[in-house]
């Protein structure tokens, strides 16, 4: 371990979840929170409790379940009702933090808040003091800090530290900063805020210019000791700084940065996969660290070098990030014991019932497909994880199609433990017919915006992964499904997306607030 520890503050469940189409329900958030705890993040920003009853519920359940293993943080605007909701949501967390924010840039003060500088400072100070009555660990963010006049930023930071803030976060809310500029902002604070050593400086960068990770690292060089980031760089617009990139840059270039994190890097790839499955948001193939091609060396000259000495072209080993490739592991005759061992090696901690369900799926898959790869097993487990949270499930489907037939689909769906519902529809093709029948049963009308198929592993008998994005009354929802049968995978993906729309229809979450930090 080298030098100072960098605090990894994960905001996948708050800032990341605000990404269009990526909303998660409470059970899904709990799954992600569990993965983040296993990954070893220092702080989980679990949500914005005042935003909606659903947000409040998620934060309080995460606080209750994981608040003894990591710090659980709740976001609040600088308003008394926000802060008291955050306090109520965090009550059962042993380690808790309230994150208060208030805009300080001229453009926000003038157009959004209609407050002058003195009023801003008074509001920020009184909010920090109020939060401090509940817990000692308080973070304050001057929203849009990267565009805030420097001397005013220093004044706000100094006064909020004096009021009790233990972390001061400097958000580049709109993704406007560049590395050198951001370095100078953080350095200026270090030099000009007299009490700065009493708080941790935090970086929060957005990727609008593709600079979020670079800016976060520049902040570390200037003395920041917390980085706010999300798995896969999830987040509104171009997203936030990607946790896996920040962590691996710090680790791979420890020689240069001279700092370290507590992240268990072998959990990066499985966690990335889980978040992608639950949100439906795909990870691009050439994404750094966790993309499918991140460790593929195809150029002939590279392969030659790699065979002689891996470090010639490889700065990280796939195993360092828990990369799961095309390893052929198991076949039809592999026993339950071998399967369980493999699941544990892949980084999942499932209870006996969950292992049994996954094993049954595995046997069914091995019947259809000769060779089962690690990536297949990952897909099976993730399928089960993401299905558990849904109200509607697919009981059966039948399709008929051909060059001279009208494509039709007959479908059985069940909502919780109510009677099974059956309906049929015709469509442009069998998949379209399945989608239409599903909408009829669930009484939802959706527009398909994106439809994407890829194979999970190799061979003609490979499992197909289907991802869909749908539009229901102007809101976007994503879903993913995996099967050796493309129609079945499509049905699962569409049902997943419709389940999300159904969840939102039933809760008050449609009107939730989305903070800009
Ligand atoms: Zn943000």
């Amino acid at each position: 371990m080298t030098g100072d520890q960098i605090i990894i503050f994960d905001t996948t469940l708050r800032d990341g979840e605000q990404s269009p189409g990526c909303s998660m329900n409470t059970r899904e958030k709990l799954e992600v929170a569990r993965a983040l705890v296993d990954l070893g993040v220092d702080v989980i920003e679990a949500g914005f409790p005042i935003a909606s009853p659903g947000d409040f519920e998620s934060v309080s359940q995460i606080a209750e379940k994981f608040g003894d293993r990591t710090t659980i943080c709740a976001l609040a605007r600088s308003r008394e009702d926000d802060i008291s909701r955050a306090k109520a949501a965090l009550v059962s967390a042993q380690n808790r933090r309230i994150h208060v924010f208030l805009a300080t840039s001229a453009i926000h003060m003038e157009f959004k808040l209609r407050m002058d500088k003195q009023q801003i400072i008074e509001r920020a100070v009184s909010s920090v003091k109020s939060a401090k009555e509940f817990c000692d660990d308080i973070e304050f963010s001057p929203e849009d800090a990267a565009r805030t006049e420097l001397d005013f930023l220093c004044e706000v930071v100094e006064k909020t530290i004096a009021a009790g803030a233990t972390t001061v976060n400097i958000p580049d809310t709109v993704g406007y900063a560049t590395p050198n500029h951001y370095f100078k902002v953080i350095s200026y604070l270090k030099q000009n805020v007299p009490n700065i050593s009493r708080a941790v400086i935090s970086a929060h960068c957005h990727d609008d210019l593709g600079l979020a990770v670079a800016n976060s690292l520049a902040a570390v060089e200037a003395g920041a000791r917390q980085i706010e980031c999300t798995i896969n760089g999830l987040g509104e617009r171009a997203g936030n700084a990607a946790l896996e990139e920040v962590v691996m840059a710090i680790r791979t270039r420890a020689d240069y940065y001279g700092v370290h994190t507590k992240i268990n890097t072998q959990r990066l790839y499985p966690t990335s996969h889980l978040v992608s499955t639950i949100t439906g948001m795909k990870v691009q193939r050439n994404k750094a660290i966790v993309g499918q091609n991140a460790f593929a060396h195809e150029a002939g000259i590279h392969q030659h070098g790699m065979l002689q000495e891996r470090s010639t072209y490889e700065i990280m080993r796939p195993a360092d990030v828990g990369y799961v490739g095309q390893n052929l592991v198991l076949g039809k005759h592999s026993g339950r014991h071998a399967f369980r061992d493999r699941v544990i090696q892949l980084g999942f901690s499932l209870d006996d019932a969950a292992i049994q369900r996954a094993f049954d799926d595995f046997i069914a898959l091995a019947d259809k497909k000769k060779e089962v790869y690690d990536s297949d097993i990952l897909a099976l487990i993730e399928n089960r994880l993401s299905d558990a949270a849904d109200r509607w499930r697919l009981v059966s489907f039948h399709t008929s199609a051909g060059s001279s037939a009208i494509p039709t689909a007959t479908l059985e769906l069940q909502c919780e433990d109510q009677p099974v519902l059956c309906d049929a529809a015709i469509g442009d093709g069998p998949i379209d017919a399945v989608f239409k029948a599903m909408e009829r049963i669930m009484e939802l009308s959706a527009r398909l915006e994106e439809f994407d198929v890829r194979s999970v592993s190799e061979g003609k008998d490979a499992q197909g992964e289907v991802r869909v994005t749908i539009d229901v009354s102007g809101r976007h929802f994503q879903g993913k499904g995996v099967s050796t049968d493309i129609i079945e995978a499509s049905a699962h993906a569409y049902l997943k997306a419709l389940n999300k729309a159904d969840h939102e229809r039933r809760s008050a979450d449609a009107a939730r607030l989305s903070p800009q930090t």
Side-chain angles (χ1 to χ4, degrees):
M1 289 292 170
T2 25
D4 289 354
Q5 187 209 323
I6 301 298
I7 297 164
I8 298 296
F9 176 107
D10 180 279
T11 184
T12 305
L13 295 172
R14 203 279 299 165
D15 214 337
E17 200 242 359
Q18 281 174 223
S19 178
C22 289
S23 57
M24 296 175 239
N25 62 36
T26 300
R27 287 186 67 171
E28 291 169 332
K29 285 184 181 176
L30 284 167
E31 281 301 335
V32 173
R34 180 186 308 279
L36 293 172
V37 169
D38 291 343
L39 181 63
V41 305
D42 301 282
V43 185
I44 293 176
E45 186 165 53
F48 183 39
I50 198 145
S52 72
D55 272 53
F56 179 86
E57 184 59 24
S58 314
V59 177
S60 50
Q61 287 203 28
I62 291 169
E64 191 187 327
K65 290 215 162 68
F66 305 108
D68 56 339
R69 295 180 61 193
T70 188
T71 298
I72 309 299
C73 175
L75 183 70
R77 288 170 298 186
S78 292
R79 296 162 38 146
E80 206 36 62
D81 44 351
D82 277 44
I83 295 168
S84 59
R85 280 301 266 176
K87 291 176 182 174
L90 290 174
V91 156
S92 52
Q94 230 172 73
N95 308 299
R96 50 210 193 187
R97 172 183 294 188
I98 294 179
H99 177 189
V100 184
F101 73 98
L102 185 63
T104 49
S105 66
I107 188 165
H108 276 79
M109 286 196 291
E110 188 180 341
F111 294 105
K112 197 170 92 177
L113 297 170
R114 300 184 193 284
M115 290 164 78
D116 65 24
K117 287 180 176 174
Q118 200 46 45
Q119 288 170 310
I120 292 280
I121 287 180
E122 281 164 18
R123 174 77 74 85
V125 163
S126 68
S127 301
V128 168
K129 282 185 173 160
S130 159
K132 194 81 178 176
E133 290 165 8
F134 174 75
C135 60
D136 193 53
D137 190 347
I138 304 297
E139 173 166 331
F140 178 76
S141 288
E143 184 193 337
D144 205 11
R147 288 195 301 180
T148 299
E149 188 194 315
L150 275 177
D151 289 322
F152 181 54
L153 184 63
C154 285
E155 192 182 348
V156 174
V157 165
E158 183 186 344
K159 301 265 167 67
T160 49
I161 292 174
T166 44
T167 299
V168 283
N169 182 42
I170 309 302
D172 179 22
T173 307
V174 293
Y176 179 72
T178 61
N180 219 322
H181 160 221
Y182 200 57
F183 177 93
K184 286 178 184 157
V185 172
I186 306 285
S187 303
Y188 194 85
L189 287 171
K190 280 217 88 156
Q191 283 152 18
N192 295 285
V193 176
N195 57 0
I196 194 74
S197 61
R198 284 167 49 194
V200 172
I201 302 176
S202 167
H204 179 111
C205 300
H206 279 269
D207 211 28
D208 296 71
L209 294 172
L211 295 170
V213 171
N215 289 340
S216 305
L217 294 171
V220 166
E221 280 191 81
R225 287 295 175 263
Q226 172 176 290
I227 297 179
E228 303 198 355
C229 43
T230 60
I231 302 294
N232 300 335
L234 201 66
E236 273 181 291
R237 310 188 306 277
N240 288 260
L243 181 148
E244 60 279 5
E245 296 178 22
V246 163
V247 165
M248 288 313 287
I250 287 174
R251 179 180 147 133
T252 307
R253 296 309 311 275
D255 62 316
Y256 179 73
Y257 292 106
V259 294
H260 69 276
T261 72
K262 276 187 3 206
I263 297 298
N264 171 10
T265 61
Q266 293 178 4
R267 294 293 308 153
L268 287 172
Y269 190 80
T271 310
S272 157
H273 241 265
L274 177 74
V275 168
S276 168
T277 298
I278 286 181
T279 58
M281 181 73 102
K282 194 171 165 179
V283 175
Q284 80 202 46
R285 280 185 91 98
N286 63 338
K287 165 85 177 59
I289 317 297
V290 291
Q292 224 186 326
N293 290 359
F295 293 96
H297 294 264
E298 293 214 2
I301 190 165
H302 281 205
Q303 282 190 343
H304 180 68
M306 289 281 293
L307 287 172
Q308 288 181 328
E309 169 55 46
R310 291 195 79 87
S311 62
T312 332
Y313 289 102
E314 204 171 66
I315 59 166
M316 300 168 276
R317 289 174 307 159
D320 293 344
V321 304
Y323 175 76
V324 173
Q326 301 295 345
N327 301 328
L328 172 63
V329 280
L330 302 168
K332 198 173 170 177
H333 303 290
S334 307
R336 194 163 170 273
H337 201 76
F339 178 76
R340 182 194 207 103
D341 285 352
R342 196 62 209 156
V343 168
I344 293 168
Q345 277 169 28
L346 290 175
F348 289 93
S349 49
L350 303 180
D351 59 27
D352 286 343
I355 286 272
Q356 189 57 49
R357 277 197 302 274
F359 184 66
D360 293 344
D361 291 348
F362 162 72
I363 291 296
L365 179 65
D367 263 341
K368 292 182 202 161
K369 175 172 192 309
K370 274 203 309 283
E371 298 161 328
V372 178
Y373 298 90
D374 276 346
S375 48
D376 289 319
I377 296 180
L378 202 61
L380 289 179
I381 296 173
E382 287 169 352
N383 246 0
R384 283 290 183 180
L385 287 179
S386 60
D387 280 358
D390 293 337
R391 244 165 47 96
W392 291 85
R393 76 184 180 86
L394 181 64
V395 178
S396 76
F397 76 97
H398 172 85
T399 58
S400 140
S403 56
S404 58
I406 297 172
T408 60
T410 311
L411 209 65
E412 285 183 308
L413 293 183
Q414 188 176 24
C415 180
E416 290 170 335
D417 45 13
Q418 292 164 31
V420 172
L421 299 175
C422 181
D423 208 336
I426 59 169
D428 296 331
I431 293 176
D432 184 44
V434 165
F435 290 177
K436 286 193 171 130
M438 212 173 263
E439 289 176 41
R440 286 168 66 116
I441 296 176
M442 292 175 72
E443 293 174 353
L444 270 167
S445 158
R447 201 161 62 83
L448 182 66
E449 299 223 309
E450 271 179 61
F451 181 85
D452 200 41
V453 191
R454 73 168 191 102
S455 70
V456 170
S457 53
E458 292 165 0
K460 283 186 191 157
D461 59 357
Q463 294 194 89
E465 175 189 287
V466 173
R467 285 172 190 267
V468 300
T469 305
I470 61 170
D471 178 318
V472 178
S473 332
R475 298 270 300 161
H476 292 85
F477 303 94
Q478 306 192 27
K480 184 182 111 172
V482 179
S483 169
T484 49
D485 176 344
I486 294 294
I487 298 176
E488 188 178 358
S490 306
H492 282 300
Y494 206 67
L495 184 59
K496 180 83 206 163
L498 285 177
N499 261 310
K500 288 186 178 177
D502 171 61
H503 177 79
E504 199 164 277
R505 172 175 67 173
R506 284 161 36 84
S507 66
D509 286 14
R512 68 204 287 229
L513 298 161
S514 288
Q516 293 289 322
T517 58

